[in-house]
Structures are given as C-alpha cells and as structure tokens.
Amino acid sequence: MTLHHSPRIGVLAIQGDYAAHAAALSEAGAEPVEVRLPRQLGSLDGIILPGGESTTILRFLEKDNFFASLREFCLKKPVFGTCAGSILLAREVRNPAQQSLAALDCVAERNAYGRQIDSSIVTVEAALPGGPLEMVFIRAPRLVELGPTVEVLARRDNDPVLVRQGTVLAATFHPELSADRRIHKYFVESVVSA
Amino acid sequence: MTKSNGTHAPATSTATSLRLKVGLAEMLKGGVIMDVMNVEQARIAEEAGACSVMALERVPAMIRAEGGVARMAKPSLIKQIIQAVSIPVMAKARIGHFAEAQILQELGVDFIDESEVLTPADEAHHIDKHAFTTPFVCGARNLGEALRRIAEGAAMIRTKGEAGTGDVVHAVQHMRQIVREMRALTVLSEQELYAAAKEHQAPYELVRIVAQTGKLPVPNFSAGGIATPADAALMMQLGAEAIFVGSGIFMKERATPLDVENNPAERAEAVSRAKAIVQATTHFNDPKILAEVSEQVTGTMKGLAAAAIEEKDQLQTRGW
C-alpha cells in the first residue's frame, strides 16, 4: 500500500532527544507526532525510538500496558531506534540486563565503548547511496550476536552500527544530530512503501 | 579494532568536541537529574527513572545549614556511584577550580557542574571549559551570564533557583528573565545587536545566534528549589528542557536526609518523590497525569522560604 499523504511518524517523547528526531522527520518529508502514552500509537504509520536513557524510558513503558502496545506496534509497522532506541529494540540487553522489546534479533551491550569522554564522531562507508556517512556516537551501545536475517548497512571498525531486519531499522549512533538526512529519508521511504 | 581504555580521550577539534558535549546534553532532555550522596540513593534515583545522577557529599540544603567550605566530592564516593548505576554520572567542581575539574574528568564523570552551590575558588574567572573533553553545565540567572558561560565552553545551562530551599520562586524568576531577554533580542535589528551584546556583557556572536533562533545555542535546564512534581511541571512549561532536583528527593528536614538505608517508610517516601517528579517532567503538559502522580507522593521536604534568606547568604549570586 502506498500512502497518499505525508506519513505520520511517531517519536517516542518520554525522555531524550525526541525534538531533534521530530525536526529531522519534518526535513525528511514526514509529519512527526510526539508519543507519550500508548493510546497515541493508534493513528501512526511508523515510530522512532530516540536516544536518551533506556532505563528512564523503560520506567514509562512499564505503565498502562505501554510496553505490550509498543511491541505489537513494532511487529506490525516500521520502527527506527537510535542508540537507546536500538537497546530497546534488541532481543536481549547486557551491562546490565534489562527488559527489551525483542523486535530486532541481536544483543545490545550498553555503554560498550566507555563513558562520555570516549564518545566520538566518525565518518564511515554505509550501504546508502551518496558517499560516507557521519556518525555521532554518544555513550553508544554495541550490537552483537546478530541473527541470520539481520542485514548490516554500516560498520564502525568491525561492529555493526546501522542494521535492518524487515521493517525494523536500528542505529547505535545519532543521525538526528548530523545535518545529513539520508537515514531519516531512508526510514520515511520504508514507511511509505510498507 | 580500536578500543578506548577510558583513561584518555582521542584528540578532537574544538568544534567536534563541542558537538559531542552538547550531544550528551540533548540526550538528557525531558529527564530528571537527581542529587545523590551515596550508592543507595543513586540506585533509588536510577530505579525511579532519573536520566542522570549528580554525585555529591552534601546536598545544598545541608551545605546551607552546616556551613563550612563546600568542595568537590571525594573520588571514592564518585567511583562507587559510577560503579553502581548505568546512567550518566555528574559531579560538581567549585567555580574556577580547574584542578577539581581535571580530577573529575580523570575519574570519568560524564558531566561536570561548575557550581555556585560549592564555595567558589576564584572570584573573577570561571573554568576554561574548552580545555576539557568532559562536558560542563553552569548556572545562570540571566541571559548575559548564560552566554558568558557558553563562551567559556559550557555545553548546558541550568537556570539558577535558590538551591537547597525547596522554594521554586527564584527558579521561576530566572527562567522567565532568560526567556524574556531572548525574546527581546529576536525583534532587534542587526544594527542594534552590538549595543545589546554590550548591555548583556556577552559575546556579540552568541547574542546574534540567540537573536536569530530565539533560544540558547545549548540546552537550557532548570535547577534550584524544585521540590514537587508540580514544581517540575511548572519549570518545564516555562521553557526548561529538563530538571535538576537537589534536596527535593532525599531531604526530610533542613539538614536531615531521609534514612533510605535503614528506615523502610522513609525509603518509600524518597522513592515516591523520585518517581513522581520523573513522571511529572515527561507529562508536564498533562494535568490529569500531574494530579495522579502528585497524589502518589507521601511527603515533601519542609523547605525554607527563599525570601527569608538574606542576599549575602544566597548561593545564586555566586558566578560572574
């Protein structure tokens, strides 16, 4: 099905850089919708789980059946998780272990590159047209033990940092903090063609 | 594969470094940063949904009541708290005390608060924050003070209230002032911005950015005197992008903390306050949820009316 309007894409607005994602979605041709309650999921064509603190976001998902509603949504409609969002999507979380949506067949290791002083900006090749991508890593997780159907779209050294499995897209970095909108456009296109 | 051992930072340009610093501040938006004095409080904060904790030996209410020189927390305490939680850990350095900041960076804290709550170490100069890899947050009472701190390299501003009082009145006053001063700049002509920079005692380039965007070039959080879920919602509605809560979670009376280690009822009270303020900060625009979470709080710090504090005893006037 092709949408005949600009897609309405939710941004989970519990905590984190949801405003940066909303601005990036607007620039990529979608209508962003801030989502703080499970009932707001109903009218959306897709959703972004932003960067922030995954432990904080989980505290909110535990209430009012939000966790189950969001999991159901992620299995039906396109979802894009960045950094903390990719942790929420993983099958399993380590360092420490915590609950996750299990929408993406991989294990997320939190704070895998160290603390804030180890955060970095790198530019690497990705499987997107238009040349290398700038990637902003902030207290980033590492995705390991990827399942056979998870496609790696970019790596930093050997680590997968941009992956896709069906309609689930995940980045361990923050495309919303770069000026390059290719990844958000790629996600919006996947929502339109879903 | 390269792997950092966490004891040194890769060489980066100032612009890249600033983007990473502001990037972490962006990740804290919509959240609550809680003052904690021990591992148990840090765990309660994380469990309640705090997006970060501030490790310190005495919260502002105790510093105010007990007096003495307030310094950086001891490294062993900071290390214990870093070990105990997975969320970012902040710690305070005295104004101008760049050696304390060097130690905090070496310990691996994620954000350094150059704070007026501690006793200032330099009455003229703040820390040159560009010289550090670790991001800094600084307090401000007006736009000029905020822009001077940003010029020195601060990656986050927190508008000052009167710390340690549980009285939100000065947090409101200063947030309103900064928002009003920013709005006033947006209607000035290009030619008028030079004189505006002079009036605010702030760099012209930063004044120009505010005039164009109507907001600070770094995130603006609120701190000082926030004690209830309603206080947090008030500050968010006035324009704060996140909330610092100091004495409001773990203090009982002016200089007495709740005993979260040995007294289950007092622990439960701290947990109820922490959870409710976290919920209120996210749902700051939803009065129905604010009413629900306010009802769940089992007690609030007694507090000290800010109007009863003489100007010479105010913490907020520190910083230049």
Side-chain angles (χ1 to χ4, degrees):
Chain A
M1 185 194 82
T2 305
L3 296 167
H4 295 288
H5 56 92
S6 74
R8 282 169 56 82
I9 299 182
V11 182
L12 192 66
I14 289 170
Q15 190 275 322
D17 70 337
Y18 49 83
H21 269 294
L25 279 175
S26 297
E27 289 170 30
E31 180 194 343
V33 181
E34 290 188 0
V35 175
R36 292 185 174 83
L37 295 167
R39 61 178 148 82
Q40 295 167 324
L41 292 169
S43 62
L44 303 173
D45 302 313
I47 194 164
I48 287 182
L49 312 182
E53 283 306 316
S54 58
T55 50
T56 302
I57 297 169
L58 278 174
R59 289 299 89 82
F60 286 79
L61 297 183
E62 286 161 2
K63 291 163 61 95
D64 305 326
N65 223 21
F66 203 162
F67 191 89
S69 307
L70 184 59
R71 181 155 201 278
E72 196 183 334
F73 185 91
C74 293
L75 298 177
K76 279 195 316 212
K77 301 241 174 110
V79 55
F80 177 25
T82 64
C83 196
S86 74
I87 295 169
L88 292 172
L89 288 171
R91 167 186 90 230
E92 184 191 333
V93 180
R94 293 181 193 148
N95 187 36
Q98 63 190 38
Q99 206 182 5
S100 58
L101 295 163
L104 178 64
D105 190 4
C106 69
V107 175
E109 297 174 346
R110 291 184 60 204
N111 300 325
Y113 299 91
R115 306 191 67 81
Q116 172 62 12
I117 52 170
D118 306 298
S119 293
S120 60
I121 300 179
V122 300
T123 301
V124 300
E125 287 295 337
L128 292 176
L133 264 174
E134 180 194 78
M135 300 177 179
V136 180
F137 290 92
I138 295 174
R139 287 171 51 96
R142 182 187 284 124
L143 304 180
V144 298
E145 298 177 31
L146 273 59
T149 60
V150 179
E151 184 187 353
V152 177
L153 301 177
R155 288 180 190 273
R156 168 193 183 181
D157 299 320
N158 281 319
D159 298 337
V161 292
L162 180 63
V163 303
R164 198 187 75 168
Q165 183 183 21
T167 56
V168 178
L169 182 67
T172 60
F173 57 97
H174 294 282
E176 72 280 12
L177 296 184
S178 293
D180 190 329
R181 285 289 158 259
R182 274 181 288 164
I183 296 181
H184 281 83
K185 283 180 181 158
Y186 177 79
F187 178 63
V188 172
E189 281 161 22
S190 79
V191 172
V192 171
S193 61
Chain B
M1 193 178 83
T2 58
K3 192 168 188 269
S4 171
N5 59 14
T7 56
H8 66 279
T12 47
S13 73
T14 303
T16 298
S17 171
L18 194 59
R19 284 183 65 199
L20 287 169
K21 291 169 177 174
V22 174
L24 180 57
E26 293 284 337
M27 297 311 141
L28 299 172
K29 281 185 178 176
V32 181
I33 301 131
M34 296 183 193
D35 279 1
V36 296
M37 295 179 283
N38 55 50
V39 165
E40 189 56 23
Q41 291 183 349
R43 291 204 177 111
I44 288 172
E46 180 175 47
E47 184 58 31
C51 67
S52 177
V53 290
M54 176 81 70
L56 70 182
E57 279 179 53
R58 297 186 292 169
V59 296
M62 294 167 77
I63 293 170
R64 180 182 298 288
E66 293 168 6
V69 177
R71 309 182 179 94
M72 172 187 85
K74 54 178 183 284
S76 60
L77 173 68
I78 293 167
K79 283 165 94 170
Q80 283 169 16
I81 288 172
I82 285 175
Q83 285 299 317
V85 296
S86 65
I87 54 180
V89 175
M90 303 190 182
K92 290 181 193 289
R94 284 180 261 176
I95 289 173
H97 206 316
F98 52 84
E100 282 189 348
Q102 288 162 356
I103 291 167
L104 294 175
Q105 174 165 285
E106 192 60 32
L107 291 171
V109 306
D110 297 292
F111 239 104
I112 298 170
D113 184 0
E114 186 182 18
S115 178
E116 68 282 1
V117 164
L118 304 185
T119 310
D122 190 322
E123 294 183 329
H125 308 283
H126 281 251
I127 296 170
D128 171 13
K129 294 165 271 287
H130 290 296
F132 290 78
T133 307
T134 305
F136 278 74
V137 52
C138 290
R141 291 195 298 167
N142 55 53
L143 182 60
E145 194 177 1
L147 296 181
R148 289 194 292 280
R149 298 295 86 80
I150 294 167
E152 295 155 1
M156 181 204 297
I157 293 298
R158 48 174 178 74
T159 58
K160 292 179 192 170
E162 185 56 27
T165 59
D167 186 345
V168 78
V169 64
H170 287 152
V172 169
Q173 182 189 334
H174 299 141
M175 181 60 76
R176 281 200 185 278
Q177 168 141 1
I178 289 179
V179 170
R180 185 171 61 240
E181 288 173 336
M182 291 195 294
R183 203 165 45 224
L185 284 183
T186 62
V187 299
L188 296 185
S189 72
E190 286 278 327
Q191 296 152 343
E192 291 170 314
L193 292 178
Y194 300 97
K198 186 176 143 196
E199 280 164 28
H200 287 294
Q201 299 177 49
Y204 165 75
E205 279 307 324
L206 291 175
V207 168
R208 190 155 177 269
I209 289 170
V210 175
Q212 285 167 347
T213 62
K215 53 190 287 215
L216 294 179
V218 304
N220 184 18
F221 295 5
S222 178
I226 298 164
T228 68
D231 290 348
L234 176 69
M235 296 317 301
M236 291 293 285
Q237 289 188 41
L238 286 173
E241 295 177 299
I243 298 293
F244 283 83
V245 184
S247 316
I249 307 283
F250 294 108
M251 293 307 287
K252 184 164 60 178
E253 297 295 331
R254 268 188 69 194
T256 316
L258 294 164
D259 182 1
V260 298
E261 279 157 331
N262 304 307
N263 185 327
E266 293 194 356
R267 186 180 198 282
E269 179 172 340
V271 168
S272 79
R273 291 185 195 173
K275 281 185 174 176
I277 287 183
V278 168
Q279 296 289 326
T281 302
T282 290
H283 296 296
F284 66 94
N285 253 335
D286 190 328
K288 184 168 178 287
I289 294 178
L290 293 176
E292 284 167 15
V293 302
S294 297
E295 196 176 340
Q296 285 155 16
V297 180
T298 55
T300 300
M301 75 180 280
K302 187 175 171 205
L304 172 67
I309 301 170
E310 287 187 49
E311 196 171 338
K312 70 174 176 55
D313 296 325
Q314 288 182 349
L315 300 174
Q316 59 182 274
T317 54
R318 298 166 167 179
W320 2 99

